[in-house]
Amino acid sequence: MVSADFGISLLSTHGTGKQGMVHHNRLIENQAPAGNAIVVKGLIKSFKRLKVLDGIDFVVKQGTVLALLGPNGAGKTTTVHILGTLLLPDGGKALINGLDVVKEANRVRSLIGLTGQYAALDEYLTGTENLHMIGRLYRLSHRDIKRRTRELLELFDLVEASNRAVKTYSGGMRRRLDLAVSLIASPPIIFLDEPTTGLDPRSRLIMWNIIKQLVSSGTTILLTTQDMDEADNLADRIVVINGGKIIAEGTADELKQRIGSERLEITVSEASNFDEAKKVVDEDGLHVDSKRRTLSVVTKGGVHQLKQVLSNLDEAGINVESVSFRSPTLDDVFLTLTGHTTEQSKGETKAQQEG
Amino acid sequence: MEKPSSFTTDKQTEKHSKFFWTLSDSWTLTKRSVKHITRNLDQLFSVALFPMMFFLLFRYVFGGAIDTGNISYVNYLVAGIFVQMLAFGANYTTMNLAVDLQRGIVNRFRSLPIARSALIVGHVAADLVRNIVSGLIVIGVSFLVGFQPVAGPTDWVLVFGLAILFSLAISWISAIMGLLVKSIEAAQWTGFIVIFPLTFVSGAFVPTETMPDALRFFAENQPLTHVIEAIRGWLVGTPIGNSGWLAFAWCTGIIIVAMPVATWLFRRKTLQ
């Protein structure tokens, strides 16, 4: 169990009510008419000859979470870097609260917090010093910096480690401090680039809790992930990208309707009759993995479907090694949407299923 | 529960002029780089030991074989070692800037609404602090091995004034190199490729009279020699000629050119 009991109200102030009046007003000034915190139109970016983004469009409404879901090299980080004013797009437009990320980069910078894949911390400074330094660079007053630092260290369970150099921190602690640093100036919009990649399950859950509380306090979040489960858990809307193009978009439920909410997975005992098994189990959204001798289909009839499939296999004389239900993975999403798997995520998917 | 009132000040940024914030950003990042000096024991060691090693090597190993005319070699050597240490120290700007650019932290700085020059200013200023420590160690050790300066108070002020200006000039050049290199390893040797010839092909350790003509022409007219000749003159009374004002002019000129070039390179490098 994770007992990350964070005080919601402390995380941010973009919510409703009297609390955030001062910059609530500022927010309204900067708002795009439609209440979109992030607008991306026809974004194009190439590195040398490699086209990384090939016309990306999406919007993120204020106070909501959008997940960019895709494998390595899909263009997720490039998108985040353009929105975070770190890269210039070759074409297209990106607006943060109505401000152009290219033309008004400096005004955009005071509205955003960016947490990258690799913790952007100073190794030789302590946790407290990192927070103080970035707080001052965000141009907060010394009093606010001290107060926010104290609050954030408590929220992120880093008080004990606060006076130690960051180079002594574990991976999970670094990620937490990294996010804390991004939040020091309570930016209304946060970019999280694969916030849980490489984290152990406990740290991952802590991260999820923090993100959920940020959202409930009114912060707009754009997060990237390779994990369908993570997108499902955290995001209001999911944009699936591959090879710099959007291949699907919708709420988690809408996507699940397309790919099935749960999958029935059958592992066949012998490789010799695997091809025959494929013909027998010819159901909706059949995905096969011949290396592991597994077949998976979208669940619909529950126990009835299970009985049916097993008896069909039995009649055909095919021995079944194991049967399980599991949630769809990024691979399933890709198989359904594009007809092929994501090469990069194969190993991880396998490990998750076996683990 | 926190009182709601405490949130009204949240994220209210201080209102100051752009100039104030440029100084503030630079100061914040200078504090960071200076902390690195004390946190990174390797750096601290090399800052303290390197000058002493070089000093003792030249004083006792090479010194006996070098003819410096009517002043003792130790008196001749101090200015050379002193300036060489300042030049070597600047390599930390190249290194530390290259390290920052390789690590994720540069993305953090770039996503902040700060002055673009602040990160470089931080490293250059930390170099100055490091060089002041190195310089004091060199002067301290020099007294232990027989250095007898004739400098009066004004001379000492001139020596330290020029040392500070020179340190800044060479650090800004080093910053440009740190922004041009592609890896941390390259940063390590680029500094020495530029600084080694400049310090050795000069009047730092030997009188230039014995060098071949072309080398001698370079040695006698390059900025480091002017800096060294000026400092040597103020310290032990050797003739300075035009080197005094030329040294100040060179250093000022280098800073005026290198500062905007480095800032421009940083902008260009960090926006693709």
Side-chain angles (χ1 to χ4, degrees):
Chain A
M1 264 298 282
V2 176
S3 58
D5 182 25
F6 305 110
I8 292 172
S9 60
L10 284 174
L11 269 169
S12 189
T13 61
H14 324 291
T16 48
K18 292 172 212 156
Q19 297 182 349
M21 278 317 284
V22 168
H23 79 256
H24 200 71
N25 288 338
R26 264 188 59 180
L27 268 185
I28 289 165
E29 278 170 35
N30 294 332
Q31 250 177 39
N36 289 326
I38 304 170
V39 177
V40 173
K41 265 188 208 149
L43 220 50
I44 293 171
K45 178 74 186 174
S46 302
F47 293 114
K48 303 257 162 70
R49 276 192 202 150
L50 185 71
K51 203 156 213 183
V52 184
L53 294 182
D54 193 5
I56 298 271
D57 303 271
F58 62 82
V59 295
V60 187
K61 287 218 170 69
Q62 220 131 43
T64 68
V65 185
L66 181 102
L68 278 182
L69 179 68
N72 281 330
K76 305 188 298 287
T77 300
T78 307
T79 307
V80 167
H81 280 185
I82 290 173
L83 291 172
T85 74
L86 301 181
L87 273 179
L88 294 175
D90 297 338
K93 228 179 165 71
L95 305 175
I96 303 290
N97 275 3
L99 299 170
D100 190 296
V101 296
V102 177
K103 288 179 198 137
E104 299 183 89
N106 248 344
R107 286 180 70 193
V108 168
R109 287 182 185 124
S110 61
L111 294 172
I112 59 169
L114 177 65
T115 296
Q117 268 178 58
Y118 307 100
L121 299 164
D122 191 307
E123 297 270 303
Y124 292 109
L125 300 188
T126 66
T128 306
E129 285 169 338
N130 267 286
L131 285 160
H132 282 183
M133 174 176 73
I134 301 299
R136 193 56 185 162
L137 293 176
Y138 266 119
R139 299 168 179 191
L140 302 183
S141 71
H142 290 290
R143 211 191 52 193
D144 282 348
I145 292 170
K146 284 204 180 112
R147 182 174 53 78
R148 287 292 289 167
T149 299
R150 215 173 34 241
E151 288 169 4
L152 288 165
L153 286 171
E154 268 170 40
L155 282 170
F156 287 70
D157 195 19
L158 289 167
V159 176
E160 269 173 58
S162 62
N163 290 319
R164 266 169 36 206
V166 169
K167 61 181 174 184
T168 67
Y169 282 26
S170 70
M173 288 161 77
R174 279 165 199 250
R175 287 290 179 85
R176 284 189 336 254
L177 181 62
D178 197 39
L179 183 52
V181 168
S182 304
L183 299 178
I184 186 104
S186 328
I189 296 162
I190 309 250
F191 302 119
L192 301 169
D193 194 10
E194 303 205 7
T196 64
T197 300
L199 288 190
D200 61 78
R202 183 178 172 272
S203 303
R204 196 168 106 120
L205 276 180
I206 293 177
M207 227 29 182
W208 280 11
N209 270 335
I210 292 170
I211 293 167
K212 282 177 187 167
Q213 308 214 16
L214 266 175
V215 181
S216 66
S217 66
T219 308
T220 307
I221 295 181
L222 175 69
L223 74 92
T224 75
T225 182
Q226 303 198 28
D227 183 359
M228 177 65 199
D229 202 27
E230 181 160 289
D232 186 9
N233 251 287
L234 299 174
D236 298 302
R237 288 185 73 76
I238 300 171
V239 166
V240 186
I241 67 171
N242 189 33
K245 282 186 176 146
I246 292 178
I247 57 173
E249 188 181 354
T251 63
D253 286 338
E254 284 163 6
L255 278 181
K256 277 184 185 167
Q257 271 177 12
R258 288 180 66 179
I259 56 175
S261 59
E262 252 200 331
R263 302 190 68 85
L264 169 62
E265 188 171 84
I266 297 145
T267 309
V268 177
S269 301
E270 291 106 31
S272 57
N273 48 18
F274 185 69
D275 282 335
E276 207 186 325
K278 273 198 283 191
K279 281 177 210 149
V280 175
V281 191
D282 191 14
E283 302 235 358
D284 242 14
L286 173 68
H287 295 166
V288 294
D289 183 342
S290 53
K291 265 190 211 142
R292 293 170 51 231
R293 302 187 310 278
T294 60
L295 304 155
S296 75
V297 293
V298 177
T299 55
K300 35 177 196 247
V303 178
H304 177 72
Q305 180 196 24
L306 177 63
K307 265 187 186 166
Q308 191 65 48
V309 169
L310 289 179
S311 73
N312 287 353
L313 284 168
D314 196 38
E315 274 167 30
I318 298 164
N319 289 327
V320 171
E321 192 177 281
S322 69
V323 177
S324 62
F325 287 99
R326 59 167 178 81
S327 341
T329 62
L330 184 62
D331 255 348
D332 295 314
V333 177
F334 272 75
L335 265 170
T336 311
L337 296 172
T338 66
H340 52 81
T341 57
T342 68
E343 283 110 317
Q344 292 92 339
S345 66
K346 246 181 199 167
E348 288 163 37
T349 312
K350 198 172 165 184
Q352 278 166 13
Q353 285 162 9
E354 285 169 359
Chain B
M1 274 297 278
E2 286 272 323
K3 278 183 188 152
S5 62
S6 75
F7 282 99
T8 51
T9 54
D10 221 59
K11 209 191 160 245
Q12 233 183 357
T13 50
E14 283 185 14
K15 292 273 173 279
H16 290 287
S17 67
K18 201 178 166 197
F19 180 69
F20 172 91
W21 283 119
T22 304
L23 290 183
S24 166
D25 296 341
S26 302
W27 174 239
T28 306
L29 289 171
T30 299
K31 280 194 290 187
R32 160 184 184 252
S33 296
V34 170
K35 277 178 191 156
H36 284 192
I37 302 174
T38 55
R39 305 283 163 86
N40 189 340
L41 283 178
D42 295 341
Q43 279 195 24
L44 202 61
F45 260 112
S46 63
V47 166
L49 288 178
F50 208 46
M52 280 195 269
M53 298 265 297
F54 252 77
F55 204 142
L56 299 175
L57 179 77
F58 271 90
R59 166 77 176 87
Y60 292 109
V61 180
F62 300 134
I66 299 168
D67 180 16
T68 48
N70 51 12
I71 64 165
S72 72
Y73 187 63
V74 65
N75 278 350
Y76 182 89
L77 178 65
V78 171
I81 288 283
F82 184 69
V83 172
Q84 189 195 37
M85 282 316 116
L86 302 181
F88 280 5
N91 193 228
Y92 281 106
T93 293
T94 310
M95 280 283 296
N96 292 336
L97 206 50
V99 168
D100 274 352
L101 290 173
Q102 298 281 321
R103 305 261 162 89
I105 194 151
V106 75
N107 284 345
R108 166 82 67 204
F109 292 138
R110 287 167 51 211
S111 72
L112 293 168
I114 62 172
R116 295 289 99 175
S117 58
L119 182 63
I120 312 173
V121 171
H123 284 306
V124 169
D127 248 358
L128 189 61
V129 172
R130 205 170 7 233
N131 273 343
I132 288 170
V133 175
S134 291
L136 290 176
I137 290 172
V138 168
I139 301 288
V141 171
S142 70
F143 281 106
L144 295 178
V145 295
F147 176 50
Q148 287 173 317
V150 296
T154 323
D155 296 321
W156 280 110
V157 170
L158 283 169
V159 167
F160 283 107
L162 181 57
I164 287 168
L165 200 65
F166 172 72
S167 176
L168 290 173
I170 196 123
S171 293
W172 276 102
I173 292 178
S174 303
I176 292 176
M177 292 191 287
L179 291 163
L180 289 174
V181 295
K182 296 230 153 49
S183 71
I184 296 166
E185 289 75 16
Q188 248 159 347
W189 57 257
T190 351
F192 286 99
I193 275 190
V194 177
I195 289 165
F196 250 84
L198 278 177
T199 53
F200 283 99
V201 186
S202 74
F205 306 106
V206 292
T208 51
E209 282 85 18
T210 58
M211 295 179 190
D213 285 346
L215 214 56
R216 182 178 166 184
F217 178 80
F218 173 76
E220 283 176 359
N221 291 292
Q222 61 123 324
L224 258 78
T225 299
H226 292 306
V227 174
I228 293 163
E229 291 297 334
I231 289 179
R232 184 179 290 138
W234 292 322
L235 286 176
V236 296
T238 49
I240 295 176
N242 285 328
S243 289
W245 70 268
L246 275 172
F248 276 105
W250 265 107
C251 293
T252 313
I254 288 171
I255 293 172
I256 289 171
V257 175
M259 264 176 87
V261 170
T263 310
W264 175 79
L265 272 174
F266 182 74
R267 263 174 192 275
R268 202 194 60 159
K269 184 159 185 124
T270 52
L271 258 194
Q272 294 162 24

